[in-house]
Amino acid sequence: MIELTQNGVFLVNGTELFEADETGSRDAAEAAGVSAIDPADASKSTMAYNILTSHNTSGDDEKLRIKFDMLTSHDITFVGIIQTARASGLEKFPIPYVLTNCHNSLCAVGGTINEDDHVFGLSCAKRYGGVYVPPHQAVIHQFARERLAACGRMILGSDSHTRYGALGTMAMGEGGPELVKQLLSKTYDINRPDVICIYLTGEPAPGVGPQDVALAIIAAVFDKGYVNNKVMEFTGPGVSSLSADFRIGVDVMTTETTCLSSIWRTDDKIAEFYDIHGRSEDYKELNPGPVAYYDGAVKVDLSTIRPMIAMPFHPSNAYEIEEVVNNPGDILKECEERAKVSLGEDVDYNLTNKLRDGKIHVDQGIIAGCAGGGFENICAAADILEGQSTGSDAFTLSVYPASMPVYMELIKNGAAAKLMATGAVLKTAFCGPCFGAGDTPANGDLSIRHSTRNFPNREGSKLQNGQIASVALMDARSIAATAAKGGVLTPATEVNIKYTNPKYFFDSTIYENRVFDSHGKADESAEVRFGPNIKDWPSMPALTDNLLLKVVSVITDPVTTTDELIPSGETSSYRSNPLGLAEFALSRKDPAYVGKAKAVHAVEQLREEGLNPADVSGKSHDDGNGNKISVTFEFFDKWNTLVREFPQITGENTGIGSVIYAVKPGDGSAREQAASCQKVLGGWANIANEYATKRYRSNLINWGMLPFIIDKGDLPFTIDDYIYIPGIADAIREEKSKIKVYCLHGSTMTSFNLRLGALTDDERQIILKGCLINYYRG
């Protein structure tokens, strides 16, 4: 059972929970002394408040300017981050910065370019004083758990699943520019976030794993936005019933709720984790104060959680597996109908064909990465599969331990041998299965995965080519139970076995032999090595007085993920090449976008070279990839129409670019390229009803793009319309929240309002300068 409170709550002595305005609890609350306590004061007793304020440099507990203790990135983010920091004046890494290589590890796409990125990373770790973890050694988050986390510490990572709250570390996943700020000794600026109490009671039943608990919570909160951009603080007596590995498995999935961060109370099980990893000094007990106030609560009775499955195409699309098994036809059809919202008519999507003889047959099982590749998950799967067979038909099972030390212990204790004897394949630490760069299913297949996401346009789907892969999220235990039946969907609670629960022994020898650690010492004589695919960011102009923007894409899906804004999979190999990667922007959602954006950007580039926009018709400009883009008469006509209405407009004071509209963009990955690809194609703004995550909105701002908001309802514009925004630079300077703009639709012109939402002083300056690089260059 999961229950969301309607009001704030008081937590007394870490065990008793009272809803602030709940009449039925009022007498008990007063007896506990809660009624006399001010919520504002009691909110300072949360673990989150104390960690945040201890890292705050502003002197104002409401307006936080955070400096983190450490930074982490992987090999499809660190090149762009370091290139941005270098362009902004980087001399050395001021705090520990760990560069892991777990996304483009296979080096199988694009010739030498993936390994070129790895060489670049190692050379930068030497030059600027960082840590470099070679491919196949560990996924980014497992290395952070094993070597970086510490109670009370804060870590910022350029991967959205940067979550180490179970180990007492507040961690946040953000786009690359936020890491750049830390590399330049600047701060992470946010208003003090709300904190939601995740109150755990009871203990999980045998066969129920961390992914089951996580999916149940995600299903309860996601659609309601209950924890959006807030901190999830895990408390209550149920925490003690969970092992460290179990807590870690729940914690990493908190990203899928769209929360800002997470933190858990710590106890002897977390102390033991640090002891095992040779870092006892990094442990300290964390608990809320005697009376702590939270802005809401999610009550979770762990004993009621059943094995879960998140059906395609979102972690919140979750059901109990027993429900799916008992009512497969209706649920599969419901999922097919729901999928049409995102997939449209691009593919003939079919799930009901997985139903044979009244049973659901899946084609593939994967246990992998930061969520599934933990020691306890894999040992439990080995216990379930011992003496079984995955079969010689279509079903396959692949297991990716999250780090080489975990893999080594699985070999030593025999779990690896148990799995391999069944026909399962063990592979090295790799994040690829989570985003479509490893174990990609066949067209039309259904894969069950203990990984983090199952969005559309992911795990191999290419809708424009008629290719679709369906991924459902499940816990490793139920994946193993399904594998033992040759792919027939089965919850682990149906398996009657005794779990061995072997003890974990951490051996750091592999890391000591292979990981490069500068110990914070920069070597100015070290040469940074560049491969031919590693390109500098193109120049970006400052914001002009006015803007003329063409609407080049309109997306009406309820939520637009970063995978739809810039696909993952094979495109990840081009993350080091801004213009090359931009060719893939919206390619699986709106294939016409790139061409339309380039046509508008050609006008802007000619304007920047001094040509009057009134004179550009018929001219062309190089797009940076060797293609000549011609300017159409359409733009010439719109420009002259606008000049007749607003004679003050000139080529010097009016920038020209593109804008996209999406209902709620930015769910998912922290990847800055979801915004930077729009920027290098000439994007000046997004318009949305709301932004799914803070990190996507921050990415827009850091790339100099305006994060406009428009009220829900009928849109006053459509695709290919032009939007004129007079006085936008002054509006930013004057902190205007509402801006009157004009829409050119055919021969008519109408006006409407856009909003910007809150911007910090620095964010306004970044937008005025045109991007973060320009801002730091001065």
Side-chain angles (χ1 to χ4, degrees):
M1 181 187 72
I2 295 180
E3 178 187 348
L4 312 183
T5 67
Q6 297 298 311
N7 304 291
V9 299
F10 289 98
L11 180 68
V12 180
N13 297 323
T15 57
E16 296 181 87
L17 200 67
F18 301 108
E19 193 164 352
D21 294 320
E22 187 179 23
T23 303
S25 296
R26 188 167 295 157
D27 292 342
E30 289 178 354
V34 168
S35 60
I37 296 176
D38 181 8
D41 289 337
S43 68
K44 298 178 181 180
S45 293
T46 65
M47 294 178 286
Y49 177 89
N50 285 284
I51 294 175
L52 285 167
T53 53
S54 70
H55 289 78
N56 178 33
T57 64
S58 72
D60 181 345
D61 290 349
E62 297 301 318
K63 301 287 185 181
L64 307 179
R65 301 177 76 89
I66 301 294
K67 284 201 170 182
F68 289 84
D69 299 297
M70 290 184 172
L71 306 175
T72 62
S73 290
H74 51 63
D75 50 346
I76 56 176
T77 58
F78 65 60
V79 176
I81 291 167
I82 295 173
Q83 283 288 74
T84 303
R86 281 165 49 85
S88 304
L90 176 70
E91 295 182 357
K92 73 179 297 289
F93 298 154
I95 57 176
Y97 188 18
V98 178
L99 312 178
T100 61
N101 295 271
C102 53
H103 279 59
N104 278 340
S105 311
L106 297 184
C107 303
V109 179
T112 71
I113 61 180
N114 290 347
E115 186 62 13
D116 290 344
D117 288 351
H118 300 158
V119 170
F120 173 91
L122 177 59
S123 68
C124 287
K126 294 176 178 178
R127 171 65 182 80
Y128 299 111
V131 178
Y132 175 85
V133 184
H136 306 288
Q137 297 303 306
V139 301
I140 179 172
H141 305 308
Q142 185 66 16
F143 186 84
R145 296 162 187 155
E146 294 169 349
R147 309 304 289 167
L148 309 180
C151 294
R153 187 171 285 173
M154 290 192 73
I155 295 178
L156 182 67
S158 57
D159 183 271
S160 56
H161 291 99
T162 306
R163 291 284 188 270
Y164 317 124
L167 300 176
T169 302
M170 277 194 72
M172 299 176 185
E174 283 282 357
E178 291 299 332
L179 277 79
V180 171
K181 293 176 184 176
Q182 297 289 312
L183 289 175
L184 300 176
S185 298
K186 308 300 181 181
T187 56
Y188 178 79
D189 302 342
I190 55 171
N191 292 331
R192 179 158 69 97
D194 287 351
V195 183
I196 302 295
C197 177
I198 313 299
Y199 184 74
L200 305 183
T201 59
E203 61 181 283
V208 171
Q211 187 80 323
D212 299 316
V213 175
L215 293 176
I217 293 173
I218 293 165
V221 304
F222 177 80
D223 285 343
K224 300 176 180 67
Y226 192 80
V227 298
N228 182 240
N229 293 329
K230 301 172 186 176
V231 177
M232 298 174 72
E233 184 157 308
F234 288 77
T235 68
V239 172
S240 296
S241 72
L242 306 179
S243 68
D245 253 21
F246 200 113
R247 299 179 207 183
I248 285 168
V250 175
D251 186 60
V252 72
M253 291 297 292
T254 59
T255 295
E256 303 311 317
T257 68
T258 71
C259 75
L260 178 70
S261 188
S262 63
I263 190 68
W264 295 55
R265 70 174 183 83
T266 61
D267 55 18
D268 57 347
K269 292 180 181 177
I270 302 303
E272 181 185 30
F273 177 94
Y274 284 107
D275 292 342
I276 288 169
H277 289 83
R279 299 193 293 121
S280 300
E281 69 280 3
D282 287 331
Y283 172 77
K284 67 179 179 181
E285 187 174 349
L286 298 179
N287 281 300
V291 179
Y293 178 80
Y294 296 89
D295 299 283
V298 180
K299 302 177 185 177
V300 183
D301 181 350
L302 295 168
S303 67
T304 66
I305 304 296
R306 305 297 295 166
M308 303 291 292
I309 179 169
M311 298 295 287
F313 286 99
H314 199 276
S316 65
N317 188 22
Y319 302 81
E320 291 183 356
I321 297 177
E322 288 102 328
E323 180 185 2
V324 178
V325 168
N326 294 330
N327 185 26
D330 289 345
I331 291 175
L332 293 177
K333 287 178 183 176
E334 180 182 323
C335 292
E336 288 175 347
E337 290 301 312
R338 185 179 297 189
K340 287 180 181 178
V341 174
S342 293
L343 304 182
E345 303 300 324
D346 291 328
V347 293
D348 181 18
Y349 184 62
N350 193 330
L351 273 180
T352 52
N353 62 5
K354 302 303 174 186
L355 185 59
R356 301 193 294 272
D357 302 322
K359 299 178 179 178
I360 296 176
H361 292 253
V362 303
D363 304 290
Q364 182 192 63
I366 305 288
I367 301 170
C370 59
F375 177 75
E376 287 184 6
N377 289 330
I378 296 174
C379 288
D383 288 341
I384 291 170
L385 279 164
E386 184 174 13
Q388 305 290 324
S389 169
T390 61
S392 58
D393 208 337
F395 179 83
T396 61
L397 176 63
S398 295
V399 179
Y400 294 76
S403 71
M404 198 57 77
V406 170
Y407 202 153
M408 188 158 63
E409 186 57 27
L410 293 170
I411 292 171
K412 289 179 179 178
N413 73 12
K418 290 180 187 178
L419 287 167
M420 287 188 284
T422 72
V425 179
L426 265 71
K427 304 181 180 182
T428 53
F430 182 37
C431 296
C434 189
F435 65 92
D439 277 299
T440 301
N443 181 57
D445 275 6
L446 174 60
S447 176
I448 52 174
R449 303 188 172 203
H450 193 155
S451 60
T452 55
R453 289 202 174 114
N454 61 338
F455 294 163
N457 298 289
R458 202 174 173 98
E459 283 99 10
S461 297
K462 285 188 173 182
L463 304 184
Q464 73 277 19
N465 294 339
Q467 301 170 16
I468 183 68
S470 295
V471 170
L473 302 182
M474 286 170 49
D475 189 81
R477 294 150 189 79
S478 291
I479 292 173
T482 300
K485 293 195 175 182
V488 175
L489 185 66
T490 305
T493 46
E494 288 190 8
V495 178
N496 186 20
I497 65 157
K498 182 173 177 59
Y499 292 96
T500 58
N501 299 316
K503 184 175 175 60
Y504 180 62
F505 297 92
F506 175 75
D507 187 341
S508 63
T509 303
I510 293 174
Y511 289 159
E512 291 163 2
N513 287 336
R514 283 296 298 137
V515 172
F516 172 81
D517 188 349
S518 70
H519 300 287
K521 295 180 180 178
D523 180 359
E524 294 183 3
S525 67
E527 179 184 355
V528 177
R529 292 183 57 182
F530 293 88
N533 186 58
I534 299 176
K535 305 293 186 182
D536 292 331
W537 292 103
S539 61
M540 300 173 193
L543 183 66
T544 49
D545 295 341
N546 318 298
L547 284 177
L548 177 60
L549 307 180
K550 183 176 181 179
V551 181
V552 291
S553 186
V554 172
I555 304 171
T556 57
D557 294 2
V559 178
T560 302
T561 69
T562 47
D563 280 270
E564 292 168 304
L565 294 166
I566 181 65
S568 54
E570 81 280 11
T571 63
S572 299
S573 296
Y574 299 93
R575 296 278 185 92
S576 305
N577 183 338
L579 290 173
L581 181 67
E583 296 287 338
F584 297 96
L586 270 78
S587 60
R588 299 184 189 175
K589 189 65 186 175
D590 184 357
Y593 164 74
V594 171
K596 288 187 174 185
K598 282 185 176 182
V600 181
H601 192 37
V603 182
E604 170 64 12
Q605 290 174 308
L606 291 167
R607 183 197 73 83
E608 291 171 28
E609 292 174 2
L611 195 62
N612 191 319
D615 301 324
V616 298
S617 183
K619 292 185 168 52
S620 62
H621 201 280
D622 193 308
D623 68 353
N625 288 319
N627 304 307
K628 290 291 184 181
I629 307 298
S630 297
V631 177
T632 65
F633 176 79
E634 172 211 25
F635 174 79
F636 174 77
D637 179 59
K638 297 295 183 185
W639 177 265
N640 286 335
T641 298
L642 199 62
V643 169
R644 285 194 294 270
E645 282 293 322
F646 301 95
Q648 71 272 24
I649 295 174
T650 69
E652 292 181 352
N653 67 20
T654 304
I656 297 153
S658 57
V659 59
I660 72 168
Y661 165 81
V663 175
K664 187 177 179 180
D667 186 25
S669 172
R671 69 186 72 147
E672 64 179 287
Q673 293 86 356
S676 67
C677 282
Q678 296 175 50
K679 180 66 173 184
V680 300
L681 289 171
W684 274 109
N686 275 196
I687 301 175
N689 295 136
E690 64 178 304
Y691 291 94
T693 58
K694 174 207 168 292
R695 54 183 174 268
Y696 177 67
R697 184 176 183 271
S698 293
N699 284 339
L700 293 173
I701 293 167
N702 285 324
W703 284 108
M705 298 180 67
L706 294 151
F708 284 126
I709 299 170
I710 190 168
D711 293 335
K712 293 180 181 179
D714 294 334
L715 283 183
F717 56 84
T718 188
I719 194 163
D720 294 333
D721 285 352
Y722 284 77
I723 297 175
Y724 173 57
I725 310 174
I728 182 60
D730 283 341
I732 298 294
R733 294 187 190 97
E734 295 166 11
E735 304 182 31
K736 291 182 178 178
S737 59
K738 186 182 292 185
I739 299 168
K740 185 177 182 180
V741 304
Y742 299 85
C743 175
L744 282 75
H745 176 74
S747 59
T748 65
M749 183 183 297
T750 56
S751 65
F752 62 96
N753 291 321
L754 292 173
R755 293 181 286 113
L756 270 174
L759 294 170
T760 68
D761 291 342
D762 286 348
E763 286 173 337
R764 283 191 292 275
Q765 290 303 313
I766 290 167
I767 289 173
L768 289 168
K769 291 287 187 179
C771 66
L772 189 71
I773 296 174
N774 295 353
Y775 174 69
Y776 284 129
R777 279 179 178 160

